[in-house]
Amino acid sequence: MFRQLPPVPDHPTLEEEILSWWEERRIFDRLRERNHGGPVWSFIDGPVTANKTLGVHTAWGRTLKDVFQRYKALRGFDQRYQNGFDCQGLWIEVGVERELGLNSKRDIEEYGLAEFARKCREKVAWSAQELIRGSKRLGQWMDWGNDYYTFSDTNISYIWRFLKLVHERGWLYRGHRSTEWCPRCGTSISAHELVGSYEERIDPSLFVRFPLIDRPGQSLTIWTTTPWTLPANVAAAVHPDEEYGLQENGEWVAVKRYPDETYVERRRGADLVGWRYDGPFDHLPAAKGIAHRVISWDEVTMDEGTGIVHIAPGCGTEDFELSRVHDLPIVMPVDEAGRFYDRFGWLHGLSTSESAEQIVADLADRGRLVAAAEYTHRYPFCWRCNTPLIFRIADDWFISVDDVRPRLLAANATVEWTPAYFGKRMDDWLRNMGDWNISRRRYFGLPLPIYPCGCGHVTVVGSRAELKELATAGMDQLVELHRPWIDAVEIRCPACETEGVQRIPEIGDVWLDAGIVPFSTLGWQNPEWVEGGYGTGAANELTGADLPDHEYWQSWFPAHWVSEMREQIRLWFYSQLFMSVCLVDKAPFRSVLGYEKMLDEHGRPMHGSWGNLIPAEEAFARMGADVMRWQYCDQPPDRDLLFGYGPAHEIKRKLLTLWNSVGFLVRYANIEGFRPTVSDLAPGPVGVELRPLDRWILERTKKLVTDATAALEEQLTHRLIAAFESFVDDLSNWYIRRSRRRFYGYDDAAFRALWFALVTGLRVIAPVMPFLADHLWRNLVADPCAEAPDSIFLAGWPELGEPDERLLAEIAEVRRIVELGREARSTAGVKLRQPLRRVYVRGARLAREHAQEIAEELRVDEVGFDQGPVAQVRLLPNLRVLGPRLGRKVPEIKTALERGEVEELGGGRLRVAGEELEAEEVIRGERVEISGWTIAYNETVSVALDTEIDAELELRGQVYELIHTVNTMRKDAGLELTDRIVLTLPDRGDVLGHKDWIKAETLATRIEVGEALAITKA
């Protein structure tokens, strides 16, 4: 016996039961054992930051990864299944700071770096377990417990090796430049970290006078939205070829910016170069000795401001570069925390935002302020703590990219990107990226192994073993490769033999941690396999992951496939590509699936403060993991995902069609005693006489497998969903509905065909919704078939061959005809239960052999092809076009068009009254109605329905209505499908003339005549 299904599936309860069953029966372990030694399919997991619980955003990417890994496993591929955690850097630090109530780098140092590092590790360990728990609940199969952690000494050592190689090639250098800076985190920001970090922000908009020294009563007027940079002003820039004018009030501005003003003097920008002026804050000690002057700059724009640009090299990248060209002094106004230095007098200790109001007031008091307002613009924020960024001059460590850029572009050309435009975006990034800023002034992260000696020699240590060789102190306390322990290790300079050389205090960009993963996790250049060799340093006791040997790396590198969201183009995808090209001159992945961002179901970003952020745990409880996975997989990767409970409700409704189809089979299989056999799974039912409809559903099932396989091979899960939905609709609304009567008795072919189609459909959709698929597999296959695999994931991917496309096209055309016929009935207001005499079909070449099916579906007595009335289109001359060309002949053409006296010439052209008319010379109006007929049509097929109802048709319609009413009464009375009844009918001789028909359709043993319609159980 099959287990009866409840009316609707309880997804969360069902999923929890399947999770336990998978664990109990070791399904995943057995799948890996079965595929071990098979063809290799290499996947590298992008590390999830271990500072949180699982969110629905993260669950999207994890679902896609699991779908393709399950699919490849069903195809017999051997896989690694190694999950990864990103474990260090500011994402971790900022969260720990908040928990400890720390608000600055000084607070961290006072708290103690060793204890802070331990707290960061605790945060990672807690989050990793939460993420694993959430991922398991999602249904993701990974080698949990053998995860990689980027803060392991092994991972760090591989990055050290990379940095040593870069240094040996002359690409590593210390740069003195203006860089984006987070004052809250106290560190610089890389260009690739700025992607997606811009937000709308309101800043002061100031117009300020710079009095000219050699032109009394005249001044330059500049515009700025960053008041805090004015105390660092050293120059004003003009465009040499633009025209500037002196207004009547004594202010110089660009004429193009104020074309309607009156000017008493006009000059080219080049003439203003060299003019001296008083700086806006010359009275502060920091400005002492600075000679402010006008410089030339071709990049001055006339789009906003005054056309004269305030230049502060200590506060902006372009300003800094201009200082090199024009030999300008550099004034740095703020420290690492974004607060003014002592030498700025009354501004001392104020932050860049706190100082704005006081700077504006001071300028106004001294008559320097022309105007002040507010300005809304896009501004960069720290991607970790959401603090507005500033620019500072900093000495950071960089990797030069110019030498490697052509090789990066060549490597990217070998990668298959989905969507394809993601690859073009990577190309754009590679062509325009600047040098990689790899240093951060922070604490819990990759310690940069750079040891500069006073002799000028810079040592870059390539491994922990090399560090031990060079060390002169500190190795005995080096518990892991993190601060503060690494800071205590001093080395001997290989060039001059000086001892006590110390490491720079900076840590590395987190994307170095993640970018090295294709090498550190696979054992690149490692001479021998080390059990547990990845769980070193901070990762000790967190993972049992081995460190493989180089032969293993050769088998699994490059990855066949990686997947992350679009923003990772300039982050993880880029760092992997960069490091891989530097190390082995090839891309670390062959194929990439990217996807866009997630919004709520109304198209808004999800934020906790807005109340629209959905925790993954809540989503599991309210919609279930399968429904979440369906939402993720139904999304084309080139569009934003609108995630929420509204779409989830619609998905549940769709899945009910599948659920009810299985329920239908279970119900009647139990009644009739049907028992399936595993042998039917491969080719479909054999040794039984199949009807045309059975043959069709078998071919339709083959078509599903073909389409699903193509969709997954193309990495487009939304096409898999579309193929499955179409299949379920055909199965339920065509095969089951048209075969329903065959299940009221034991029809072996019908049961076997339906069972095969349902089970194969489950095998195809299993990667997307593994819980429901395995739940139904156990009911339909594993329980009744002792020799069957107990899990759908141990049954492999179906291989059925190519479908009969002609048969499929025939039935597809039949279904289109039926849809048009129902549309015609609806237009005429005639119920489907009312029989009609005839229907005529035109343009349906393939459906002729299916006239009986069409007749049954449309409840008509006769079906004719290419006969009967034609749905004529009212044709009219386009007078605006034809009038000038044909003049007096237009009335004759109009009459011929009205009579239908036309010859089709193709392409919409007609021959009318001896004239050839182009398509645009004829107006095609509405179709002409024909009395007694209703016509529906599409581009190729028209269906004409005879809507005349005589007495005999009307009586049959009444019988159909009666049967429908009685069967509704049976359902309302709670009768079983097999229960017999006694039916009482009012005395209506006309209807009673069809009593045998009525009894058969209602399972009535007899019909009695009474006052009112009634049923009783026989």
Side-chain angles (χ1 to χ4, degrees), residues 342-364:
D342 293 353
R343 63 183 183 276
F344 285 86
W346 51 270
L347 288 171
H348 163 60
L350 295 178
S351 70
T352 55
S353 57
E354 292 167 348
S355 64
E357 187 174 337
Q358 295 192 40
I359 288 173
V360 173
D362 182 75
L363 290 169

Side-chain angles (χ1 to χ4, degrees), residues 319-469:
D319 302 43
F320 180 78
E321 296 303 322
L322 283 171
S323 74
R324 294 179 170 181
V325 174
H326 296 281
D327 193 24
L328 301 175
I330 297 173
V331 179
M332 288 181 56
V334 296
D335 60 18
E336 289 188 359
R339 296 188 177 276
F340 277 90
Y341 287 111
D342 293 353
R343 63 183 183 276
F344 285 86
W346 51 270
L347 288 171
H348 163 60
L350 295 178
S351 70
T352 55
S353 57
E354 292 167 348
S355 64
E357 187 174 337
Q358 295 192 40
I359 288 173
V360 173
D362 182 75
L363 290 169
D365 290 344
R366 292 187 290 114
R368 295 293 190 90
L369 185 66
V370 177
E374 289 184 338
Y375 181 70
T376 301
H377 60 145
R378 302 275 293 169
Y379 194 86
F381 285 70
C382 178
W383 64 285
R384 305 169 184 93
C385 68
N386 205 39
T387 298
L389 300 180
I390 61 174
F391 280 85
R392 288 187 78 248
I393 303 298
D395 292 332
D396 287 322
W397 288 86
F398 294 83
I399 300 176
S400 174
V401 303
D402 286 341
D403 289 349
V404 77
R405 193 189 310 273
R407 292 158 57 194
L408 289 168
L409 287 163
N412 189 49
T414 69
V415 179
E416 177 190 356
W417 288 84
T418 303
Y421 68 85
F422 278 30
K424 294 182 177 64
R425 291 193 175 187
M426 176 62 91
D427 268 347
D428 291 342
W429 170 251
L430 296 176
R431 288 191 176 94
N432 297 292
M433 67 185 182
D435 291 349
W436 186 354
N437 182 343
I438 63 166
S439 59
R440 303 290 181 270
R441 288 170 170 81
R442 292 297 299 188
Y443 307 104
F444 190 69
L446 158 75
L448 293 176
I450 303 172
Y451 289 78
C453 179
C455 73
H457 179 76
V458 175
T459 301
V460 177
V461 177
S463 68
R464 182 168 181 146
E466 185 178 331
L467 180 66
K468 186 176 181 179
E469 276 185 32

Side-chain angles (χ1 to χ4, degrees), residues 625-892:
D626 275 337
V627 173
M628 293 170 66
R629 294 169 67 108
W630 189 284
Q631 279 199 71
Y632 299 141
C633 292
D634 197 23
Q635 183 64 26
D638 59 349
R639 300 172 210 168
D640 293 339
L641 168 60
L642 306 186
F643 183 89
Y645 293 110
H649 177 77
E650 179 62 19
I651 291 166
K652 287 182 177 181
R653 187 190 64 78
K654 289 179 180 179
L655 290 178
L656 269 181
T657 303
L658 171 66
W659 184 262
N660 290 336
S661 298
V662 174
F664 175 86
L665 173 64
V666 166
R667 187 182 308 120
Y668 287 101
N670 286 339
I671 292 171
E672 301 298 334
F674 167 69
R675 290 293 177 268
T677 57
V678 175
S679 59
D680 277 352
L681 279 180
V686 294
V688 64
E689 185 176 350
L690 299 174
R691 297 188 187 183
L693 196 57
D694 301 329
R695 290 196 296 273
W696 169 77
I697 195 59
L698 299 189
E699 297 305 318
R700 184 64 184 86
T701 306
K702 289 182 183 178
K703 173 69 170 171
L704 168 65
V705 174
T706 300
D707 291 346
T709 303
L712 290 171
E713 290 296 328
E714 294 170 12
Q715 306 179 43
L716 298 174
T717 54
H718 68 286
R719 291 187 181 174
L720 166 62
I721 297 290
F724 184 74
E725 286 183 345
S726 175
F727 169 76
V728 172
D729 176 67
D730 281 346
L731 179 72
S732 173
N733 293 320
W734 193 255
Y735 183 76
I736 291 179
R737 194 168 51 75
R738 289 210 40 78
S739 304
R740 184 175 294 272
R741 293 176 180 276
R742 297 170 63 192
F743 293 91
Y744 296 165
Y746 189 86
D747 186 320
D748 192 43
F751 275 109
R752 291 171 67 182
L754 178 56
W755 179 84
F756 167 78
L758 282 170
V759 170
T760 305
L762 291 174
R763 295 171 70 186
V764 161
I765 204 63
V768 172
M769 49 177 204
F771 298 102
L772 188 62
D774 231 349
H775 175 78
L776 294 176
W777 170 273
R778 290 167 62 193
N779 194 9
L780 295 180
V781 184
D783 290 349
C785 303
E787 68 276 24
D790 46 352
S791 169
I792 199 168
F793 295 102
L794 300 176
W797 187 254
E799 304 281 352
L800 301 179
E802 293 299 315
D804 182 341
E805 294 290 354
R806 177 176 176 82
L807 177 57
L808 294 175
E810 287 179 14
I811 302 302
E813 189 170 83
V814 169
R815 292 206 66 183
R816 286 194 294 272
I817 292 168
V818 170
E819 288 168 5
L820 288 173
R822 289 175 178 167
E823 179 185 326
R825 273 184 172 272
S826 177
T827 300
V830 180
K831 291 182 178 180
L832 188 57
R833 283 190 288 276
Q834 173 59 61
L836 295 174
R837 193 63 64 194
R838 62 186 63 83
V839 65
Y840 291 130
V841 181
R842 289 182 180 272
R845 178 176 53 85
L846 301 174
R848 290 176 175 271
E849 296 181 7
H850 301 274
Q852 184 58 36
E853 296 164 63
I854 296 170
E856 292 170 1
E857 285 293 310
L858 295 180
R859 199 156 282 171
V860 296
D861 296 341
E862 176 189 343
V863 178
F865 288 90
D866 295 328
Q867 56 181 303
V870 178
Q872 295 182 339
V873 177
R874 190 184 305 276
L875 299 176
L876 300 170
N878 188 339
L879 298 178
R880 183 179 59 83
V881 180
L882 278 181
R885 184 165 81 85
L886 298 179
R888 295 180 179 179
K889 196 168 184 180
V890 169
E892 180 184 352

Side-chain angles (χ1 to χ4, degrees), residues 146-329:
N146 290 316
D147 319 88
Y148 72 81
Y149 289 75
T150 59
F151 64 9
S152 79
D153 280 5
T154 303
N155 202 67
I156 290 171
S157 295
Y158 266 91
I159 302 169
W160 282 11
R161 192 185 314 182
F162 163 78
L163 292 174
K164 181 176 182 179
L165 180 146
V166 166
H167 175 59
E168 290 170 347
R169 293 178 180 175
W171 298 342
L172 182 68
Y173 69 94
R174 191 181 189 192
H176 181 73
R177 62 176 64 180
S178 180
T179 184
E180 292 87 353
W181 188 275
C182 175
R184 191 253 168 245
C185 298
T187 190
S188 56
I189 304 291
S190 292
H192 56 250
E193 294 178 296
L194 292 174
V195 176
S197 67
Y198 282 77
E199 300 177 14
E200 291 290 327
R201 170 181 163 94
I202 299 176
D203 276 316
S205 171
L206 305 185
F207 292 84
V208 181
R209 295 186 185 94
F210 289 175
L212 291 167
I213 294 174
D214 301 314
R215 287 175 164 261
Q218 298 179 18
S219 62
L220 307 172
T221 300
I222 64 92
W223 173 70
T224 183
T225 61
T226 53
W228 69 272
T229 65
L230 287 170
N233 172 268
V234 300
V238 296
H239 195 291
D241 298 325
E242 294 289 347
E243 185 179 28
Y244 290 82
L246 176 64
Q247 298 175 320
E248 293 178 333
N249 61 4
E251 296 175 8
W252 283 90
V253 294
V255 173
K256 190 175 288 184
R257 292 295 299 142
Y258 305 94
D260 298 328
E261 292 289 323
T262 300
Y263 297 96
V264 297
E265 183 180 353
R266 297 180 184 232
R267 288 175 177 264
R268 287 179 64 248
D271 297 336
L272 276 63
V273 173
W275 287 4
R276 299 181 302 150
Y277 66 88
D278 289 330
F281 287 92
D282 282 354
H283 58 296
L284 298 180
K288 185 177 181 180
I290 294 177
H292 303 274
R293 60 188 171 92
V294 177
I295 63 172
S296 174
W297 189 24
D298 291 340
E299 300 302 317
V300 173
T301 69
M302 299 293 127
D303 298 332
E304 55 187 1
T306 66
I308 304 177
V309 179
H310 138 65
I311 302 299
C315 307
T317 301
E318 292 173 321
D319 302 43
F320 180 78
E321 296 303 322
L322 283 171
S323 74
R324 294 179 170 181
V325 174
H326 296 281
D327 193 24
L328 301 175

Side-chain angles (χ1 to χ4, degrees), residues 562-576:
V562 293
S563 178
E564 297 293 339
M565 65 189 309
R566 183 186 65 180
E567 66 182 20
Q568 296 299 332
I569 291 172
R570 295 177 175 92
L571 298 172
W572 187 53
F573 295 145
Y574 166 65
S575 63
Q576 281 188 93

